[in-house]
Amino acid sequence: MNAPIIGQPIQRKEDVRFLTGGGTFTDDVNVHGQTHAYFLRSPHAHARIRSIDRAQAATAPGVLAIFTGDDLAEAKVNGLPCGWLITDVNGQPMKEPPHPVLAQGKVRYVGDHVAVVIAETLNQAKEAAELIDVDYEILSAVVKAGDARKPGAPVVHDAAPDNTCFVWAIGDKEAVDRAFSGAHHVTTLEFINNRLIPNAIEPRAAVAQYAASEDAYTLHVTSQNPHVERLLMTAFVLGLPEHKVRVISPDVGGGFGSKIYLYAEETVITWASKQVKRPIKWTAERTESFLSDAHGRDHVTRAELALDKDGKFLALRVATTANMGAYLSTFASCIPTILYATLLAGQYTTPAIHCEVTAVFTNTAPVDAYRGAGRPEATYVVERLVDTAARETGIDRAEIRRRNFITTFPYQTPVALNYDTGNYEATLAEAMQIAGVAGFETRRKEAERRGMLRGLGYSAYIEACGIAPSNIAGALGARAGLFEAGEIRVHPTGSVTVFTGSHSHGQGHETTFAQVVAGRLGIPVENVDVVHGDTGRILFGMGTYGSRSIAVGGTAIMKALDKVIAKGKKIAAHLLDAQESEVEFVDGEFWITGTDRCKTFAEVALAAYVPHNYPLDKLEPGLNESAFYDPTNFTFPAGSHICEVEIDPATGVTRVVNFTAVDDFGKVINPMIVEGQVHGGLAQGIGQALLEACIYDPESGQLLTATLMDYALPRADDLPAFKVGMKETPCTHNPLGVKGCGEAGAIGAPAAVINAVVDALAHLGVRDVEMPATPERVWRAIQSAKTANKAA
């Protein structure tokens, strides 16, 4: 009997490659004869383009071509598409203005693409771009979601004269209104979920190459889903036959959602590579990334929670304005709707929920999915309300959650989702034990003696992963399938290559997927290789986002493995002169039931490729199988996070001194990798709560946080040693029982941190602190509370 592989903390197979400099990232790709692209970007948030004079730039040394929006329009290059259609409350489709890959007539945010220069070297392209003379008519700009619909606000698109993309709603409004009218207590909060900039360690990059002999293109690009990139680019923008474009997404240094989308840069250089008849390379500089990568979050929300006299939740009412930026990014429209409002039940039995979302255009970079994508925003709404309601009603914060936890499954929420399984009391109880909640008051008093303020914050989150199924998603507006593909290629010696439509950019798929295959086939994990990120080698897949890889991609692999084993049984039956029904596959061996006769997996694999005395009329040679998997439901990871902070009242500096996360990810394939994913998510969640904020000047529309000097990312000394625990309630509708783990930390952490900050200041009368809770904001909250208390 082989030792179990599933559930073991096997060291990541890919780490040796990365730690020794053996990774191949897009910027490492260099093609013979390549040129370089540089994009001239708008310095204005909103302006009409009167004219573009490129004559002087065109004669600059090394310049091969300069293209503008007019050139692409003449070539019938279309705009970038949005992949999700939202229908508004009146049954009308959302406003979907054109999103040209190079600006046509107008620029709509600082960093908008005006022209591209192709030159022999990058420096030559940059220098030529400085010679392009653009005559702008500067217009007023609007950057804040709350200002977009005000009378007299600048109009971003003529197609949306009030800057409204859509007004969408979910839930039973009448039932919610009835519940509020009879409520014993109502808690109300208004807050902003701050805009974030992803900042993956590897900036976006692309290398495009056109082969005239084949009339075909090859694009190396930093993408989380190369097949989707190819589909959108060929079918919707460039009008090319899909099989004439190969997209390769090699090693990718982080994505967090920002590399899901089809962007202007790779689209333009793919088209231009044929025009100049040379390969073209482009790599973003960090400030370009700040300006033009899709941002995240940016909600303005008013939320109300109705309770009865015993602290039971009766209804939740939410109104959110979501900033979409200047254009609709690839999946922008589903983030504040399908992935946000449907999660507002949280872990609770709230019987009536209504949410209305107003999506608006502004003169800012497009907003789309960022780690968590709607789920952090929903959790923040629910958990801030729950903590505040507990304080207002005098009920212990853990107890009010326990009174309202869902305990019976499956559970149909009032906002569309059906949770298949969970155990929320178990994760909360373990989190409280690990966090030492019982001893917190002692620690608080000790901090007081040092002149410090201590606070404890809870966050009980739930998320939906593996968006599915495709037919329901399609009915909700998805313009793409949400399945995944897997192929198992067994070699004659019994080693295996896995081809997956999922994509790894830090998640450790080469290890986790290898464990899944090795565990199912009973072979060493070292005998399994994983291939991803190349449309020329793998089946059509949907890539990686929304913590879907193991639940959807892993299940596709399992289905392909089932086919391999089924064929292996046929081969083994022939080799052992038995009936197929008598063969069972156990721990890497094909056994004749009730006997000591067997064939190893390697022996069967060799027979498949060396078919001597093989019934070719009944069995074809080879042992390759593929499968597609379209889930029947989301998976629902959940957990409890507890944060403990210490605040210096003299300066407002907040320090996270303890953070505990206990999560239920279903069956865990590799606990070491999962723990690493949780740590990364917690760092980003804490970053949002205390440090990070994307700020545009409200008058000029200039991005004020366009460098790492101005945008505060969390550093090691901003974070404590995390305490992590896990509970397992297996998913009921996939064979692995897995749920997904990549976004949990970023979902649960922000509310836990802010709840802890407010708890530390509650004795002063502070009710809320806006994210990020910077030292200045915390200090001002303390001073305002002291002033109010003196006046009272």
Side-chain angles (χ1 to χ4, degrees):
M1 180 71 70
N2 293 330
I5 295 175
I6 301 296
Q8 297 304 306
I10 295 173
Q11 188 173 14
R12 295 191 350 154
K13 296 177 67 177
E14 49 271 75
D15 281 353
V16 172
R17 182 169 86 251
F18 293 135
L19 293 174
T20 58
T24 301
F25 298 88
T26 300
D27 192 59
D28 294 324
V29 175
N30 292 291
V31 183
H32 177 71
Q34 76 183 15
T35 62
H36 295 264
Y38 183 79
F39 285 84
L40 179 67
R41 299 177 183 275
S42 171
H44 306 296
H46 199 196
R48 287 190 183 88
I49 300 175
R50 291 194 180 111
S51 65
I52 301 177
D53 183 352
R54 50 186 159 173
Q56 186 179 1
T59 61
V63 172
L64 300 175
I66 300 173
F67 299 109
T68 68
D70 289 345
D71 298 314
L72 275 77
E74 185 177 344
K76 302 292 191 294
V77 174
N78 296 319
L80 300 177
C82 179
W84 203 293
L85 174 67
I86 292 296
T87 301
D88 71 13
V89 291
N90 298 315
Q92 299 299 309
M94 66 189 185
K95 300 288 175 56
E96 198 171 353
H99 184 180
V101 290
L102 293 178
Q104 296 175 14
K106 241 189 182 189
V107 289
R108 292 181 170 88
Y109 66 99
V110 174
D112 205 352
H113 312 74
V114 176
V116 62
V117 180
I118 314 296
E120 296 288 354
T121 71
L122 178 57
N123 283 338
Q124 287 174 334
K126 286 183 177 182
E127 290 167 2
E130 294 179 0
L131 301 176
I132 298 174
D133 184 12
V134 185
D135 184 10
Y136 294 103
E137 177 189 345
I138 300 174
L139 305 172
S140 299
V142 59
V143 299
K144 292 185 178 181
D147 295 338
R149 302 180 81 206
K150 289 181 177 178
V155 176
V156 182
H157 295 280
D158 294 341
D162 61 352
N163 291 326
T164 302
C165 179
F166 58 79
V167 178
W168 176 91
I170 191 172
D172 188 335
K173 187 176 186 302
E174 292 183 0
V176 168
D177 291 343
R178 286 194 302 271
F180 269 87
S181 67
H184 175 74
H185 179 82
V186 173
T187 291
T188 304
L189 283 174
E190 295 182 3
F191 39 72
I192 294 172
N193 202 292
N194 43 319
R195 180 184 280 235
L196 303 175
I197 300 175
N199 273 293
I201 193 168
E202 177 201 23
R204 289 190 296 115
V207 181
Q209 184 177 8
Y210 173 71
S213 60
E214 302 173 8
D215 190 26
Y217 302 79
T218 299
L219 173 67
H220 287 80
V221 65
T222 48
S223 175
Q224 298 178 215
N225 45 4
H227 272 109
V228 175
E229 172 111 4
R230 182 178 71 168
L231 172 64
L232 295 175
M233 183 184 293
T234 57
F236 294 95
V237 186
L238 298 182
L240 298 171
E242 194 170 359
H243 71 288
K244 290 293 186 180
V245 178
R246 180 182 180 184
V247 176
I248 301 171
S249 185
D251 292 323
V252 173
F256 313 120
S258 69
K259 294 174 183 171
I260 295 172
Y261 325 116
L262 177 63
Y263 284 97
E265 291 88 355
E266 60 255 31
T267 306
V268 169
I269 69 168
T270 299
W271 172 82
S273 67
K274 182 176 182 179
Q275 312 309 308
V276 301
K277 299 180 176 59
R278 297 269 298 278
I280 305 173
K281 184 173 188 175
W282 170 80
T283 300
E285 297 177 349
R286 184 58 64 180
T287 290
E288 282 187 289
S289 296
F290 274 99
L291 290 171
S292 63
D293 287 7
H295 294 172
R297 318 290 193 252
D298 205 346
H299 286 190
V300 178
T301 295
R302 175 182 171 85
E304 301 168 278
L305 179 65
L307 301 88
D308 69 11
K309 61 181 178 60
D310 297 317
K312 289 284 287 180
F313 304 159
L314 300 175
L316 175 65
R317 183 160 54 202
V318 178
T320 292
T321 300
N323 194 340
M324 310 306 289
Y327 301 100
L328 289 176
S329 179
T330 307
F331 292 114
S333 53
C334 75
I335 307 306
T337 51
I338 307 304
L339 295 182
Y340 164 66
T342 58
L343 272 298
L344 287 171
Q347 299 184 4
Y348 309 113
T349 57
T350 311
I353 299 173
H354 182 263
C355 177
E356 182 176 273
V357 177
T358 302
V360 297
F361 294 110
T362 63
N363 296 113
T364 61
V367 177
D368 210 314
Y370 172 64
R371 197 171 193 169
R375 284 70 58 90
E377 297 93 312
T379 296
Y380 193 77
V381 168
V382 174
E383 291 304 294
R384 285 291 296 117
L385 279 173
V386 171
D387 243 41
T388 306
R391 187 165 284 108
E392 291 176 349
T393 58
I395 302 172
D396 177 79
R397 290 176 293 159
E399 174 59 25
I400 199 170
R401 288 175 167 84
R402 289 186 167 116
R403 290 184 192 182
N404 290 281
F405 274 157
I406 298 163
T407 57
T408 304
F409 296 89
Y411 179 82
Q412 178 62 53
T413 75
V415 279
L417 299 183
N418 187 286
Y419 302 165
D420 64 325
T421 185
N423 188 343
Y424 309 141
E425 167 58 34
T427 54
L428 177 61
E430 180 156 339
M432 293 177 68
Q433 189 274 322
I434 294 174
V437 170
F440 171 69
E441 286 304 324
T442 300
R443 296 194 296 276
R444 192 204 291 268
K445 290 176 182 176
E446 187 278 330
E448 288 176 0
R449 287 194 292 271
R450 293 184 285 107
M452 297 295 196
L453 305 176
R454 278 238 174 178
L456 191 77
Y458 294 82
S459 177
Y461 78 91
I462 190 167
E463 61 168 321
C465 301
I467 306 173
S470 290
N471 59 347
I472 292 178
L476 294 173
R479 289 166 167 165
L482 296 168
F483 55 84
E484 196 48 83
E487 180 185 355
I488 301 297
R489 189 174 299 175
V490 181
H491 303 293
T493 57
S495 61
V496 174
T497 300
V498 181
F499 296 85
T500 175
S502 297
H503 187 275
S504 182
H505 37 278
Q507 294 89 344
H509 291 174
E510 293 176 37
T511 304
T512 304
F513 286 176
Q515 286 182 255
V516 168
V517 173
R520 185 75 174 96
L521 296 181
I523 63 178
V525 71
E526 295 81 10
N527 287 7
V528 182
D529 284 337
V530 177
V531 176
H532 63 90
D534 185 344
T535 63
R537 299 183 67 189
I538 59 177
L539 298 169
F540 191 105
M542 298 307 296
T544 292
Y545 47 86
S547 301
R548 73 190 299 270
S549 293
I550 192 64
V552 188
T555 300
I557 290 169
M558 286 291 287
K559 289 169 70 69
L561 286 168
D562 289 343
K563 293 180 181 180
V564 166
I565 292 169
K567 184 173 181 180
K569 287 181 178 180
K570 296 178 189 294
I571 298 171
H574 168 71
L575 296 175
L576 295 167
D577 194 22
Q579 298 296 314
E580 181 187 342
S581 59
E582 297 178 299
V583 179
E584 58 179 346
F585 183 68
V586 179
D587 200 24
E589 296 175 324
F590 294 90
W591 287 84
I592 303 301
T593 305
T595 75
D596 60 357
R597 298 168 57 212
C598 73
K599 290 290 182 180
T600 65
F601 181 76
E603 289 174 315
V604 168
L606 182 62
Y609 289 97
V610 186
H612 298 162
N613 190 27
Y614 194 89
L616 293 172
D617 58 328
K618 297 178 181 178
L619 279 174
E620 62 183 24
L623 200 51
N624 293 357
E625 297 290 348
S626 62
F628 288 82
Y629 174 64
D630 199 327
T632 58
N633 193 6
F634 290 88
T635 64
F636 298 100
S640 291
H641 292 183
I642 299 177
C643 177
E644 190 169 335
V645 301
E646 188 169 279
I647 298 173
D648 183 346
T651 63
V653 171
T654 301
R655 188 167 61 93
V656 178
V657 292
N658 292 302
F659 200 106
T660 301
V662 176
D663 302 288
D664 175 5
F665 299 132
K667 184 66 178 177
V668 173
I669 306 299
N670 186 314
M672 180 186 69
I673 289 177
V674 168
E675 186 170 335
Q677 288 284 295
V678 172
H679 284 197
L682 292 176
Q684 287 179 286
I686 292 169
Q688 175 174 15
L690 296 180
L691 298 163
E692 298 182 48
C694 171
I695 305 296
Y696 283 92
D697 182 272
E699 299 298 326
S700 68
Q702 293 293 324
L703 180 60
L704 302 180
T705 52
T707 73
L708 291 172
M709 293 295 290
D710 305 300
Y711 187 90
L713 289 174
R715 298 175 297 187
D717 60 356
D718 293 312
L719 306 171
F722 299 125
K723 301 173 184 176
V724 175
M726 296 177 201
K727 292 289 185 180
E728 285 191 10
T729 56
C731 174
T732 61
H733 55 79
N734 68 58
L736 289 168
V738 294
K739 296 181 179 181
C741 69
E743 298 168 293
I747 292 169
V753 174
I754 297 301
N755 283 339
V757 171
V758 172
D759 181 57
L761 307 180
H763 67 288
L764 298 172
V766 174
R767 194 167 177 270
D768 191 29
V769 177
E770 185 179 325
M771 291 195 294
T774 61
E776 179 186 358
R777 280 185 174 155
V778 173
W779 183 86
R780 288 188 182 280
I782 293 170
Q783 302 313 308
S784 296
K786 287 180 176 179
T787 300
N789 292 338
K790 286 180 182 178

